[in-house]
Amino acid sequence: MMSVLREQVKTDLQQASTVLEELKAPDAADIVNDLTLDDAAIAILMLPLEDAIAVFNEPRLERRPDLIAVFEPEKAAAILQGLSADERTKIFRHLGAETRQKLLPLLSLETRGELEKLLSYSPNSAAGIMTTEFVRLSPDMTVSTALKHIRSVARHRATIYAAYVLEPDTGRLMGALSLRDLVMAEMTQPISTIMRKYPIAVEALDDREKVARILAKYNLLAVPVLDEQHRVLGFVTVDDALDVLTEEQTEDVQRLGGMQVIEEPYFLTSFWQMVRKRAPWLVALFLGELFTGTAMRHYDAEIEVARLLVFFIPLIISSGGNSGSQSATLVVRSLALGEIRPAQWLRLLLREMRIGLALGVILSPIGLVRALLWGTGWGVASTVALTLVVVVLLGAFIGAALPLVFRRFGFDPAVSSTPFIASLVDVAGIVTYFSIAGWLLGL
Amino acid sequence: MMSVLREQVKTDLQQASTVLEELKAPDAADIVNDLTLDDAAIAILMLPLEDAIAVFNEPRLERRPDLIAVFEPEKAAAILQGLSADERTKIFRHLGAETRQKLLPLLSLETRGELEKLLSYSPNSAAGIMTTEFVRLSPDMTVSTALKHIRSVARHRATIYAAYVLEPDTGRLMGALSLRDLVMAEMTQPISTIMRKYPIAVEALDDREKVARILAKYNLLAVPVLDEQHRVLGFVTVDDALDVLTEEQTEDVQRLGGMQVIEEPYFLTSFWQMVRKRAPWLVALFLGELFTGTAMRHYDAEIEVARLLVFFIPLIISSGGNSGSQSATLVVRSLALGEIRPAQWLRLLLREMRIGLALGVILSPIGLVRALLWGTGWGVASTVALTLVVVVLLGAFIGAALPLVFRRFGFDPAVSSTPFIASLVDVAGIVTYFSIAGWLLGL
């Protein structure tokens, strides 16, 4: 059904607005995403302004800054004016200086002031992702006055996430009220008696991932964002939390996979952007891996005597890398979910070493038998077997330790990616292997 | 502050209930998680029943099935009876047959019937995670009757996520209403005129991840779950979506890291469970990696002539593995987010190959220079350089293709883990390397 519509819009752009108008905004956004930039711009421009705004308000609509730059300035400003504050800010962050200069004077004074304030916050902070259209109540209102007030201000919003009760003089947060609280109460009660006092709140500069986890932890639909004077600046909703967690998870996965973070969807990231995000890590890992050659050259004499040893090198170093990959994955994820406290780090390391030992002991006999079947003799075979135990243990240790070290020094633990750990273990594995060979074979 | 409370509860269990009662349920759950199983059970039992239920209703409370099994059956049943239907079902799924038999007769007939129905659905389906306490309205009610009805049924629920309008005879879904819709409407309007017709809904057997993505896509607070006759069975909330996405993401990361999924938090997973989840993948990868030895033995004669070649093996195969890891990570994540449609698979593969080629061309000169500096001569050096281009390209191709193959055959693409791809590329890389060596060096 969606694919039929997709084709219809593509083949007949004239019909596009009729089709898109019928759809829910996220579905319309999906279809527009499929068009070329020019066609997408035309399709959106043919929509009634209200619908164009609804589609533009969808975070899933791709290329929003590019579209804004393509529109006539007046049209662009009209759309921006209609967006919710958080989406408007998100789009503005990606506009070029020139486009910004052209559009800012076309926005209302109020919108402009708000936008400039929001842009001053980091996009990774609570204030950087908040929206500002909350309902302000004062404590002496009755329930019925509050409901009347809500009815008068909440024209277009699909959901009323939050109504906050503010101290009349200072604007400080006194309490929070949900629609449910109001509906369940007696009409004549003053809201100060039914509001939730000391509601959970976050600070303007709190990290956005922390904010998302708080929304998830306390099952909140929205959380107020406060300034240093405890005044409400805006709020972050559970929808935002879903988007933030998905983005943060994507970043973690990409870092774990050994590359820099790619923000745009796959096909919207240009060829050279892709190369620029991937090449630096690949080169860095390559430079690290050069030490495997250095190490092997160091053992040139041993290799000359026991050439059979080299057949096991990929096997041994990859086993260490795989074991390290498992540990790192578990530790990085547990840190991200807040499952591990610093007080537990030592216990974690000791445990991973015990697990690594057990895993090494499981792999070891397979390696031993394979070597014997290849006719290497007991010397090389037991070198392989013993090295496997040590290297798998080493992998588990490095895989667990490195994310903790990164976290300790304030870096993202996910930077200790699978390939990064594999490189470290490769070099360490080769040294271990030939050391054990020297000892067991008397080289 | 939390750590002070944590210590206080640990040292004086008598005080525990006073401390825990003061806290919000998720914070109380965090503190109980830190106690031994016996202490946790005592702490919860000392709470008034209502508070015990609130803490037990928190998904973040760990060991819930174990605690239920420790409690007196009557107490356990009283707590279970008070939980929301989805949490009750989640806990019951993990109870032993014996405990289930003991507890079921102690639950009310209604709760028991509902529980048995919910248990019959897969825990990965929409119906398996839904809750059932929604507000049922009939289309001929006026707004004021509907509000009165909601006030009478919504006693304890913190949030009224969903009110559904059902066909009086059949129970089929006619429309959905939010509290906002009711508050904004005139009191005397019949709700059939203000309800949202054809609201977005999911089917009972839809995958839970799909349900979570629908909630996120359409910014919904709740989505109704329908049976085949279009009757409302229950609903899934945005909180559930947050939990589901976090769990699914953890599973993907663990699979990508090369292990089976570990459901419990790190320290709650026993030593042997850990080993059991990790050893099978490690052994499978080891068996695959054995082919590197087979391949190298095949080129024994070449190695004897040009022993310098072996120093570059770890470097070459790890570069292929790293390139594959990057591709696989991008593709797996894009598939999970629904960014790539099957129609785009070919384009994706061709693109990854071009990117792989570019990355290989970047690494190649570094390898060439390093080899020349080691004094290998131009023969080995150009072998290394050319192999790097081919292997990095190969890695990118395999890394992109494998997740697509898994998806095509109905498996989770994340199973094509970083270590798995590295193993494949290792073997292919060695064959490529020695083939090129044979050609360039005339071996």
Side-chain angles (χ1 to χ4, degrees):
Chain A
M1 145 79 166
M2 281 293 278
S3 58
V4 174
L5 290 177
R6 200 168 266 142
E7 283 316 306
Q8 213 168 321
V9 169
K10 268 190 193 166
T11 49
D12 185 358
L13 216 52
Q14 303 300 321
Q15 277 205 346
S17 69
T18 336
V19 173
L20 294 178
E21 265 184 76
E22 292 294 307
L23 293 172
K24 295 195 198 300
D27 290 321
D30 281 352
I31 288 190
V32 173
N33 285 342
D34 243 38
L35 303 173
T36 64
L37 186 66
D38 288 340
D39 285 357
I42 295 172
I44 288 174
L45 289 177
M46 289 193 313
L47 289 173
L49 183 62
E50 199 182 328
D51 292 330
I53 289 171
V55 174
F56 236 83
N57 217 18
E58 287 298 323
R60 61 193 297 121
L61 181 68
E62 295 160 358
R63 303 172 295 186
R64 289 191 290 181
D66 301 334
L67 287 165
I68 287 290
V70 168
F71 293 154
E72 294 284 306
E74 287 70 25
K75 189 78 186 182
I79 290 178
L80 285 169
Q81 184 75 45
L83 299 181
S84 62
D86 52 345
E87 297 304 324
R88 191 191 301 127
T89 311
K90 222 190 281 175
I91 295 171
F92 240 80
R93 285 187 201 282
H94 291 94
L95 290 180
E98 204 185 323
T99 318
R100 284 190 190 199
Q101 289 313 320
K102 223 176 349 187
L103 292 176
L104 272 177
L106 301 174
L107 298 175
S108 77
L109 213 63
E110 194 193 342
T111 304
R112 195 175 156 174
E114 184 187 58
L115 182 60
E116 280 168 349
K117 196 180 78 185
L118 289 178
L119 283 171
S120 70
Y121 294 106
S122 151
N124 291 320
S125 68
I129 60 166
M130 72 184 176
T131 192
T132 49
E133 307 95 356
F134 59 95
V135 178
R136 289 147 212 262
L137 303 174
S138 51
D140 52 354
M141 284 179 168
T142 62
V143 168
S144 110
T145 330
L147 278 173
K148 240 178 249 149
H149 179 66
I150 288 176
R151 285 170 64 127
S152 70
V153 295
R155 306 137 303 164
H156 291 306
R157 307 233 60 207
T159 313
I160 299 162
Y161 282 105
Y164 298 117
V165 184
L166 308 182
E167 254 177 32
D169 299 334
T170 60
R172 283 193 199 166
L173 179 64
M174 293 180 69
L177 273 171
S178 68
L179 264 192
R180 178 203 182 265
D181 298 329
L182 289 168
V183 167
M184 300 299 281
E186 296 302 323
M187 284 296 164
T188 51
Q189 275 184 285
I191 57 173
S192 57
T193 61
I194 60 158
M195 70 185 184
R196 286 145 206 260
K197 286 175 192 159
Y198 312 111
I200 289 168
V202 297
E203 288 167 34
L205 301 183
D206 279 346
D207 185 76
R208 63 175 195 162
E209 187 169 2
K210 182 187 155 193
V211 176
R213 300 243 175 256
I214 285 178
L215 280 156
K217 174 174 176 181
Y218 296 103
N219 282 350
L220 302 171
L221 298 184
V223 66
V225 180
L226 305 183
D227 67 8
E228 284 168 354
Q229 281 74 47
H230 222 73
R231 288 178 305 213
V232 183
L233 297 169
F235 65 103
V236 177
T237 66
V238 66
D239 309 350
D240 300 328
L242 272 169
D243 294 342
V244 164
L245 286 183
T246 303
E247 275 177 45
E248 292 283 340
Q249 288 168 352
T250 300
E251 292 180 9
D252 272 8
V253 168
Q254 289 176 349
R255 290 206 184 96
L256 271 175
M259 77 188 84
Q260 287 172 264
V261 169
I262 292 171
E263 281 176 20
E264 298 288 316
Y266 182 84
F267 280 117
L268 282 188
T269 311
S270 76
F271 180 83
W272 287 113
Q273 259 179 303
M274 267 304 178
V275 172
R276 265 202 304 275
K277 296 285 186 178
R278 288 156 72 164
W281 262 105
L282 223 49
V283 169
L285 294 169
F286 186 82
L287 293 177
E289 198 76 20
L290 281 174
F291 288 104
T292 55
T294 314
M296 285 171 74
R297 281 167 62 92
H298 182 72
Y299 297 106
D300 202 8
E302 283 85 343
I303 294 177
E304 186 146 15
V305 180
R307 197 153 42 76
L308 281 172
L309 285 174
V310 301
F311 298 137
F312 296 92
I313 290 178
L315 188 65
I316 284 170
I317 62 181
S318 74
S319 297
N322 293 340
S323 158
S325 157
Q326 293 185 336
S327 295
T329 302
L330 280 174
V331 173
V332 168
R333 188 65 186 159
S334 296
L335 285 174
L337 295 179
E339 286 175 5
I340 300 177
R341 290 197 310 277
Q344 297 173 307
W345 286 11
L346 185 65
R347 198 175 138 211
L348 173 79
L349 281 180
L350 293 173
R351 191 163 194 242
E352 277 304 305
M353 287 172 72
R354 281 197 302 141
I355 292 171
L357 182 64
L359 294 170
V361 168
I362 291 171
L363 286 194
S364 184
I366 313 177
L368 184 82
V369 169
R370 176 75 273 195
L372 288 176
L373 288 178
W374 270 341
T376 58
W378 281 96
V380 169
S382 36
T383 301
V384 169
L386 183 55
T387 307
L388 277 170
V389 177
V390 178
V391 165
V392 171
L393 165 61
L394 199 68
F397 173 73
I398 295 179
L402 215 58
L404 299 180
V405 171
F406 277 110
R407 164 59 62 94
R408 175 68 191 76
F409 290 101
F411 297 105
D412 186 332
V415 173
S416 48
S417 59
T418 311
F420 185 35
I421 283 164
S423 296
L424 281 179
V425 178
D426 282 358
V427 180
I430 286 172
V431 174
T432 308
Y433 184 39
F434 284 105
S435 304
I436 291 178
W439 174 52
L440 283 185
L441 303 177
L443 298 176
Chain B
M1 145 79 168
M2 281 293 277
S3 59
V4 173
L5 289 177
R6 199 167 266 141
E7 283 317 306
Q8 211 168 324
V9 168
K10 269 190 190 166
T11 47
D12 184 0
L13 217 52
Q14 302 302 321
Q15 279 205 344
S17 69
T18 336
V19 173
L20 294 177
E21 264 184 79
E22 293 294 309
L23 293 173
K24 295 197 197 302
D27 291 321
D30 281 351
I31 288 191
V32 173
N33 285 342
D34 243 38
L35 303 173
T36 65
L37 187 66
D38 287 341
D39 285 356
I42 295 172
I44 289 175
L45 289 178
M46 288 192 313
L47 289 173
L49 183 61
E50 199 182 329
D51 292 329
I53 289 171
V55 174
F56 236 82
N57 217 18
E58 287 298 323
R60 61 192 298 119
L61 181 68
E62 295 161 357
R63 303 172 295 186
R64 289 191 289 182
D66 301 334
L67 286 166
I68 287 289
V70 168
F71 294 153
E72 294 284 308
E74 287 69 25
K75 189 77 184 181
I79 290 177
L80 284 170
Q81 184 75 43
L83 298 181
S84 62
D86 53 344
E87 298 303 326
R88 191 191 300 126
T89 310
K90 220 188 283 175
I91 295 170
F92 239 80
R93 284 188 202 281
H94 291 94
L95 291 180
E98 203 184 323
T99 317
R100 283 189 191 202
Q101 290 313 321
K102 222 176 347 186
L103 293 177
L104 272 177
L106 301 175
L107 298 175
S108 78
L109 215 61
E110 193 193 341
T111 303
R112 195 174 156 174
E114 185 188 57
L115 182 61
E116 279 167 350
K117 196 180 77 184
L118 289 178
L119 283 171
S120 71
Y121 294 106
S122 151
N124 291 319
S125 68
I129 59 166
M130 72 185 177
T131 192
T132 48
E133 306 95 353
F134 60 94
V135 178
R136 289 146 212 262
L137 303 174
S138 52
D140 51 354
M141 282 178 171
T142 61
V143 168
S144 106
T145 331
L147 279 172
K148 240 177 248 149
H149 179 66
I150 288 177
R151 287 170 63 126
S152 71
V153 295
R155 305 139 300 164
H156 290 306
R157 307 233 60 206
T159 313
I160 298 162
Y161 282 104
Y164 298 117
V165 184
L166 309 181
E167 255 177 31
D169 298 336
T170 61
R172 282 193 200 166
L173 178 64
M174 294 180 69
L177 274 171
S178 67
L179 263 192
R180 177 202 181 266
D181 299 328
L182 289 167
V183 167
M184 301 298 282
E186 296 302 322
M187 284 296 164
T188 51
Q189 274 183 288
I191 56 172
S192 58
T193 62
I194 59 158
M195 71 186 182
R196 286 145 204 261
K197 285 174 192 158
Y198 312 111
I200 288 168
V202 298
E203 287 168 35
L205 301 183
D206 279 346
D207 185 77
R208 63 175 196 162
E209 186 170 2
K210 183 186 155 194
V211 176
R213 300 246 174 253
I214 287 178
L215 280 157
K217 174 174 176 181
Y218 297 102
N219 282 349
L220 303 171
L221 298 184
V223 65
V225 180
L226 306 182
D227 68 8
E228 284 166 355
Q229 280 76 48
H230 222 72
R231 288 177 304 213
V232 183
L233 297 169
F235 65 103
V236 176
T237 66
V238 66
D239 311 348
D240 299 327
L242 273 169
D243 294 342
V244 164
L245 287 182
T246 302
E247 275 177 44
E248 291 283 338
Q249 169 64 13
T250 301
E251 292 180 8
D252 273 9
V253 168
Q254 289 175 350
R255 289 203 186 97
L256 272 174
M259 76 188 84
Q260 286 172 267
V261 169
I262 291 171
E263 280 175 22
E264 297 287 318
Y266 183 84
F267 280 118
L268 281 188
T269 311
S270 75
F271 180 83
W272 288 112
Q273 259 178 304
M274 267 305 178
V275 173
R276 266 203 305 275
K277 295 286 184 177
R278 288 157 72 163
W281 262 105
L282 222 49
V283 169
L285 293 168
F286 187 82
L287 294 176
E289 199 75 22
L290 280 175
F291 289 103
T292 55
T294 314
M296 286 171 73
R297 281 168 62 93
H298 182 72
Y299 296 105
D300 202 7
E302 284 86 343
I303 293 177
E304 187 146 14
V305 179
R307 198 154 41 77
L308 281 172
L309 285 174
V310 299
F311 298 137
F312 297 92
I313 290 178
L315 187 64
I316 284 170
I317 62 181
S318 74
S319 297
N322 293 340
S323 158
S325 156
Q326 293 184 337
S327 296
T329 302
L330 280 174
V331 173
V332 167
R333 187 67 186 160
S334 296
L335 285 173
L337 295 180
E339 287 175 3
I340 301 176
R341 290 197 310 278
Q344 298 173 306
W345 286 11
L346 185 64
R347 197 175 139 212
L348 173 78
L349 281 180
L350 293 174
R351 190 161 195 245
E352 278 302 307
M353 287 170 73
R354 282 197 301 140
I355 292 171
L357 183 63
L359 294 171
V361 168
I362 290 171
L363 285 195
S364 183
I366 313 177
L368 184 82
V369 169
R370 174 78 273 195
L372 288 176
L373 288 179
W374 271 341
T376 59
W378 281 95
V380 169
S382 37
T383 302
V384 169
L386 183 55
T387 307
L388 277 171
V389 176
V390 177
V391 164
V392 171
L393 166 61
L394 199 68
F397 173 73
I398 296 179
L402 215 60
L404 298 180
V405 171
F406 277 110
R407 164 60 61 95
R408 175 68 193 76
F409 291 101
F411 297 106
D412 186 331
V415 173
S416 50
S417 59
T418 311
F420 185 33
I421 283 165
S423 296
L424 282 179
V425 178
D426 282 356
V427 179
I430 286 172
V431 173
T432 308
Y433 183 40
F434 284 105
S435 305
I436 291 178
W439 174 53
L440 283 186
L441 303 178
L443 297 176

